[in-house]
Amino acid sequence: MQHPAPAPSAPRLGSTLSRRVLPGIVALLLVILLAAVFAIAHLADELDERALTRGRFLSGKALEAPHDWMGRSIADYAFWGDAYVNLNRQPNIDWAYEQQNAGPSLYEDFCYEGLLVINPEGETTYAVVRGELADLDAYRWIGPGLDSLIEDAREAAEDEETATGMLMVEGRPAIVAAAPLTTGGADVEEMSGLPSVMLFVDILTPERLIEFGSEYGVSQLRLADDTDPVGATFELQLQDGTPVTFAFTPERPGRHLLLLTLPILALVAFGLGLLAWLLLRQALRTARIMDASYEYLATSQQALEASEARFRDVAEAASDWIWETDSQLRLTYLSSRFEQITGHPPSAWLDRPLADLLTSDNEALQGWLSAPDDVPLRCRYRAEDGRERHCRLAARPIHRDDTLVGYRGTATDVTEETEAQARIQHLSLHDALTGLANRNRMQEYLSAVLEPLAHAPSPLTLLYIDLDRFKPVNDTLGHAAGDEVLLQVAERLRICTREHDLIARVGGDEFVMVLVGLSQREGVERLCARIVEALDDPFYYDQQRVFIGASIGVAVAPANATNANELLRCADIALYQAKADGRGTWRFYASEMDERLHERRRLEDELRTAIQEGQFVVHYQPRYLSSGLALRGAEALLRWQHPTRGLLLPETFIPLAEETGLIVPLGHWVLREACREARHWPNHAVVSVNLSPIQLRRGKLLDEVRATLIESGLPANRLELEVTESALLHDGHATLELLRDLKSLGLRVAMDDFGTGYSSLSHLRSFPFDVIKIDRSFVAGIPRSEEDNSIVHALIGLGRGLHMEVTAEGVETAEQLDVLTQAGCTEVQGFHMSHPLDPQALNALFLGAGAFADER
């Protein structure tokens, strides 16, 4: 079909004015304004660039000045005879700190966070951090480059100069000044060997940077981040060569210029534009009247053309084919779309009954055509390629002089729609990944097969299968690996069952089997054993072997239940018991399992009540130095003062507290109570508190410890936190960072139950442990077991080789104590020295102790 030719265009006065006159005026105005804006913007850029250059220069000066000042300050202290006498080698704490010759005044007067003295062997012999005496290692507190700075200081001292540099301290850059201690020309006898080196540390906190910048007129001097523009940043080198980027807020004189001038230019442009608009307004008004009639005609013609094109495109793109029949339902007409959709040529079906094409009987088709309503008929037909397809028929009768001469209608192919509905129906009852039945299908099937059991009992067995160790597959290899393993699991389950048994996937790694007619317990156990064995075999993904396993809960109907939900609950309880018994096994439901579950829930409720009502108390296991048995401190041990069952030990309730998450508030309470009690012990008495792995992963442990130390007033160096080896296996990097942050508070960290878990030398070397505690299971074998004896000696040697203290737990005999003392064990605790004591008894022990161990 040919398109009609468009109507000829006529010249329009309004269009001419709009196309030629108005654009010319606007273009001229725009050129003038753009030239002015470009000139002002160029000047503004130059002003801003000069301000940036000046800001970078002054910022560098602002950070150079503290170097010079600290160099002169440390010279006054390091090149001083009294400091040489009292701080070199063995520091005199009374002279330095108590008399404030080299102590808090540096922090109070100059805001220096640290004053440290390091002997030639690299040991930190004296440290004052933020005005307080501290027990720390300068090489751990200060980042890489300290050795280089100390070497520069010793060389500079030959010319009576000092050395300064920038290093990382507590995660921030800091200016560190170093100078070896000298007599300063005083009449003091010099000591042999290299002198100790004094360090001043000024951490560049945000406030400190702003203070330095303000002295040089630099605004908001700070460490740079990703949001800072490159022009407002500059780099300085740390002592070890690592670059550190700083930023500042530059002045913007050019922006101020733009803000002042651009509104004026905008007003000028507005005035010129308004004038041009008034001049053209009258001319355009007359032109629009002349153009109105032409526009109306052109619009009508375009609408007609669009309407014709729309109907033509619909007719050509329609997926329906048109048919006509005579009064006997023989086909008399088929449109060209018929062949495109069905593959049949229209000539092959003309004069043939419509019912033959639609694989439908003639009476049913005639009845539908005679029906008074207009409901479409869904039917099937076979295409030329032999594939069965679906269509939807619509029809109207054809009358001539009130006589029915035939029917005319359309046929719409709905094959894809029908197949999609079938797929949706399938997916609503099946798992998309494995193709097994889903929870809906399983519930539907269970309800159907359980209903007859009320009248004619027959055996039905339900297996609730849960995969063991499946979560690590997703965590380590990814979800694609997990999906592949689930597909292989589904295939192995199909192999283990009969054709008429139902297998459903009801959760991420949970499956249910419904077995009808399997009544013998022996047969069910053989099937469970076959399933466990099949799922114990390795799975393969991307040429890697993956090992999981399965636990199974078994419930039988009607013996255990006749209701689908109740039967599933019984199987779930049996599964819980199977997991509690070690996994990789199966358990049949029994009523006592219900009782144990209720008992566990009751205990959980009592535990929550106990936390709310404060039914817990803390006892303390004394700790002794193995040499001389001087009392060192005590370990906090939690007890539950149950209102009816008496005093309960931790093994009764701690596993449940960890499983329910209640260990977090409970552990926080123990920490506060232990620190509060230890505050009243003799000076330097250490209290140790156990941390659960869950406390390391949840809550805000660092904030809780910091707040507890402030609230109780206990010095941080008298608190020791004990961490089990298992806590290091989950998210090791985050745990390492948390332990380092805790160490920065000044407390000690111990690895508890060492030797019983999965730790390695890499853990001991990378994690900031001060103490390793040998598990009581090894100590108990001394001296009967040669293996335990060797293990204990090896662990003590390992701890000493890593410069860590070693504590032995569970010392119950004098013979064990002798062996541990001779092997070089640092500390011991156990019933041989003392049983756990309540706070009053422990205080009495402190008062009666003949000797007490100072902090080491």
Side-chain angles (χ1 to χ4, degrees):
M1 182 185 294
Q2 294 183 346
H3 294 274
S9 300
R12 292 181 291 173
L13 181 58
S15 298
T16 302
L17 290 172
S18 300
R19 268 195 327 267
R20 299 179 182 177
V21 179
L22 185 59
I25 296 174
V26 172
L28 179 61
L29 292 175
L30 285 176
V31 168
I32 296 172
L33 290 173
L34 288 175
V37 170
F38 177 81
I40 295 173
H42 182 70
L43 177 60
D45 285 343
E46 286 188 354
L47 292 175
D48 286 347
E49 186 60 34
R50 291 175 183 175
L52 277 174
T53 302
R54 179 175 176 272
R56 285 194 294 269
F57 174 77
L58 292 177
S59 297
K61 287 295 184 181
L63 290 176
E64 287 178 9
H67 284 265
D68 299 336
W69 172 252
M70 285 185 71
R72 291 192 297 272
S73 296
I74 199 172
D76 292 340
Y77 283 82
F79 302 158
W80 179 19
D82 288 351
Y84 182 82
V85 171
N86 288 281
L87 289 178
N88 192 28
R89 302 299 175 84
Q90 187 63 35
N92 183 344
I93 304 299
D94 180 70
W95 178 89
Y97 186 79
E98 301 298 338
Q99 299 180 24
Q100 298 196 16
N101 288 303
S105 59
L106 284 172
Y107 181 63
E108 296 166 356
D109 298 339
F110 303 110
C111 297
Y112 293 164
E113 280 82 356
L115 183 155
L116 302 95
V117 177
I118 302 175
N119 65 19
E121 289 74 27
E123 299 172 344
T124 305
T125 59
Y126 178 67
V128 177
V129 177
R130 297 181 179 89
E132 298 291 337
L133 274 175
D135 182 12
L136 54 77
D137 184 352
Y139 286 92
R140 290 190 178 183
W141 193 53
I142 301 176
L146 181 57
D147 283 335
S148 173
L149 181 64
I150 291 176
E151 185 178 345
D152 292 345
R154 293 192 185 280
E155 292 178 359
E158 295 177 0
D159 299 325
E160 295 186 357
E161 297 290 339
T162 62
T164 60
M166 190 177 297
L167 296 91
M168 295 299 292
V169 178
E170 296 182 354
R172 295 191 62 86
I175 300 175
V176 181
L181 295 170
T182 67
T183 61
D187 188 14
V188 175
E189 181 180 354
E190 291 192 9
M191 302 179 189
S192 60
L194 291 173
S196 297
V197 175
M198 178 179 288
L199 303 177
F200 283 0
V201 179
D202 190 357
I203 300 177
L204 298 180
T205 62
E207 297 78 11
R208 198 70 167 151
L209 287 172
I210 291 175
E211 178 186 343
F212 289 159
S214 63
E215 293 178 1
Y216 281 80
V218 178
S219 176
Q220 294 295 319
L221 182 61
R222 61 191 180 274
L223 286 174
D225 56 30
D226 295 339
T227 62
D228 289 316
V230 176
T233 63
F234 62 96
E235 282 190 357
L236 294 179
Q237 300 287 331
L238 294 179
Q239 186 70 21
D240 62 351
T242 304
V244 177
T245 306
F246 294 86
F248 60 93
T249 302
E251 296 178 352
R252 297 290 186 182
R255 179 177 297 177
H256 296 160
L257 176 64
L258 289 176
L259 292 176
L260 180 65
T261 57
L262 287 182
I264 297 175
L265 288 176
L267 288 175
V268 172
F270 176 76
L272 292 175
L274 180 62
L275 178 62
W277 177 75
L278 291 174
L279 293 174
L280 291 173
R281 182 181 179 187
Q282 188 63 35
L284 288 174
R285 181 180 301 169
T286 303
R288 288 196 190 97
I289 296 174
M290 298 174 62
D291 293 338
S293 59
Y294 174 80
E295 291 289 344
Y296 177 77
L297 178 62
T299 301
S300 300
Q301 182 176 354
Q302 291 173 359
L304 178 61
E305 292 174 353
S307 178
E308 290 178 353
R310 184 181 305 113
F311 282 108
R312 182 173 58 253
D313 292 341
V314 169
E316 292 176 356
S319 60
D320 298 356
W321 41 277
I322 303 172
W323 55 271
E324 288 184 6
T325 69
D326 58 17
S327 58
Q328 303 301 315
L329 299 183
R330 289 189 299 268
L331 289 166
T332 59
Y333 172 77
L334 290 169
S335 66
S336 59
R337 292 290 294 171
F338 173 77
E339 183 172 6
Q340 298 175 23
I341 295 174
T342 67
H344 296 290
S347 59
W349 285 95
L350 294 179
D351 293 328
R352 294 178 62 179
L354 178 61
D356 291 352
L357 173 64
L358 301 177
T359 62
S360 173
D361 62 271
N362 197 58
E363 292 183 3
L365 186 60
Q366 185 69 53
W368 171 69
L369 291 171
S370 303
D373 52 25
D374 295 330
V375 177
L377 174 67
R378 297 181 70 95
C379 52
R380 297 188 301 273
Y381 70 92
R382 195 167 297 278
E384 176 67 22
D385 58 7
R387 181 185 174 191
E388 188 176 70
R389 300 182 67 86
H390 300 263
C391 67
R392 183 172 57 242
L393 257 62
R396 289 288 185 276
I398 305 174
H399 291 91
R400 290 178 186 168
D401 301 329
D402 296 331
T403 301
L404 179 67
V405 297
Y407 295 92
R408 177 186 298 124
T410 60
T412 304
D413 190 285
V414 292
T415 303
E416 285 75 14
E417 177 186 336
T418 303
E419 292 175 350
Q421 290 177 348
R423 286 195 296 271
I424 292 172
Q425 177 67 16
H426 178 83
L427 290 174
S428 69
L429 298 175
H430 292 80
D431 176 51
L433 175 64
T434 63
L436 299 176
N438 62 10
R439 184 178 290 274
N440 293 334
R441 171 62 181 144
M442 184 266 298
Q443 289 276 11
E444 180 184 282
Y445 179 78
L446 263 183
S447 299
V449 297
L450 285 173
E451 185 176 354
L453 294 183
H455 310 290
S458 60
L460 182 145
T461 304
L462 187 142
L463 307 185
Y464 207 129
I465 306 168
D466 184 77
L467 302 183
D468 300 330
R469 303 182 301 278
F470 178 73
K471 186 177 182 299
V473 176
N474 280 334
D475 293 343
T476 57
L477 300 179
H479 288 281
D483 290 347
E484 177 61 28
V485 170
L486 289 174
L487 285 170
Q488 296 181 38
V489 167
E491 183 58 31
R492 294 187 189 183
L493 292 179
R494 289 190 186 98
I495 295 173
C496 291
T497 55
R498 300 166 299 182
E499 228 178 273
H500 58 275
D501 294 332
L502 178 78
I503 310 173
R505 181 186 176 209
V506 296
D509 58 350
E510 296 178 346
F511 298 83
V512 167
M513 280 188 183
V514 182
L515 315 170
V516 179
L518 188 60
S519 59
Q520 297 296 324
R521 185 184 181 101
E522 294 79 5
V524 176
E525 290 200 350
R526 284 196 298 270
L527 174 60
C528 291
R530 192 160 63 249
I531 293 172
V532 170
E533 182 179 355
L535 299 184
D536 271 343
D537 288 341
F539 293 83
Y540 292 91
Y541 172 75
D542 196 19
Q543 299 182 346
Q544 296 187 63
R545 294 202 305 172
V546 178
F547 291 91
I548 56 173
S551 301
I552 306 174
V554 184
V556 179
N560 300 140
T562 57
N563 174 272
N565 290 331
E566 184 64 20
L567 191 63
L568 280 167
R569 189 187 73 85
C570 293
D572 191 31
I573 292 173
L575 173 63
Y576 180 84
Q577 187 62 47
K579 286 184 169 292
D581 291 345
R583 302 175 184 264
T585 185
W586 61 91
R587 291 292 180 267
F588 285 78
Y589 171 78
S591 58
E592 55 267 21
M593 294 180 183
D594 243 344
E595 295 172 4
R596 284 195 294 269
L597 186 61
H598 288 309
E599 172 64 19
R600 179 186 177 279
R601 289 173 180 165
R602 185 183 63 79
L603 183 61
E604 181 180 343
D605 291 339
E606 291 182 350
L607 188 58
R608 294 182 187 275
T609 302
I611 294 175
Q612 293 173 358
E613 297 181 356
Q615 296 177 6
F616 293 94
V617 296
V618 179
H619 286 189
Y620 298 90
Q621 175 73 56
R623 300 167 47 179
Y624 296 85
L625 290 177
S626 56
S627 178
L629 291 184
L631 188 57
R632 178 77 178 279
E635 177 182 353
L637 303 175
L638 183 62
R639 301 289 188 264
W640 181 2
Q641 189 64 55
H642 195 278
T644 59
R645 299 168 60 184
L647 196 65
L648 300 182
L649 296 179
E651 54 266 25
T652 308
F653 57 88
I654 287 298
L656 178 60
E658 290 185 331
E659 186 177 340
T660 58
L662 294 175
I663 192 65
V664 175
L666 196 55
H668 188 196
W669 180 85
V670 174
L671 178 65
R672 293 201 313 270
E673 184 68 15
C675 290
R676 184 189 62 79
E677 183 66 32
R679 184 67 182 87
H680 305 294
W681 296 352
N683 292 337
H684 305 307
V686 176
V687 62
S688 56
V689 179
N690 290 279
L691 293 181
S692 165
I694 298 177
Q695 288 179 266
L696 296 174
R697 301 196 296 267
R698 296 192 200 170
K700 300 179 180 179
L701 182 61
L702 180 62
D703 294 337
E704 290 175 356
V705 173
R706 183 186 291 113
T708 299
L709 290 173
I710 295 173
E711 175 188 344
S712 65
L714 181 72
N717 60 359
R718 292 179 55 193
L719 174 62
E720 182 177 292
L721 298 179
E722 299 186 9
V723 180
T724 60
E725 296 183 60
S726 60
L728 310 181
L729 301 180
H730 182 87
D731 198 358
H733 178 72
T735 303
L736 174 60
E737 291 301 318
L738 176 58
L739 292 181
R740 285 177 175 171
D741 291 340
L742 288 170
K743 282 281 294 180
S744 69
L745 299 179
L747 51 79
R748 293 152 49 92
V749 179
M751 178 185 281
D752 196 15
D753 298 336
F754 182 67
T756 61
Y758 301 93
S759 64
S760 62
L761 283 177
S762 63
H763 282 137
L764 288 178
R765 294 177 60 190
S766 58
F767 283 82
F769 290 113
D770 302 286
V771 181
I772 58 175
K773 302 189 72 173
I774 302 175
D775 186 69
R776 64 180 65 247
S777 61
F778 299 117
V779 176
I782 300 173
R784 298 188 310 273
S785 169
E786 186 62 32
E787 291 183 356
D788 286 347
N789 203 349
S790 300
I791 290 174
V792 168
H793 277 76
L795 294 179
I796 293 173
L798 176 62
R800 296 178 64 182
L802 294 173
H803 304 291
M804 297 181 186
E805 296 183 7
V806 181
T807 300
E809 299 180 299
V811 179
E812 299 184 356
T813 67
E815 196 171 8
Q816 293 171 352
L817 177 61
D818 291 341
V819 172
L820 292 168
T821 302
Q822 293 174 10
C825 185
T826 314
E827 262 188 60
V828 291
Q829 61 183 75
F831 292 171
H832 178 67
M833 286 70 67
S834 173
H835 285 71
L837 304 173
D838 60 30
Q840 294 76 16
L842 181 65
N843 285 327
L845 182 64
F846 278 131
L847 292 174
F852 187 76
D854 289 338
E855 182 182 13
R856 300 182 64 172

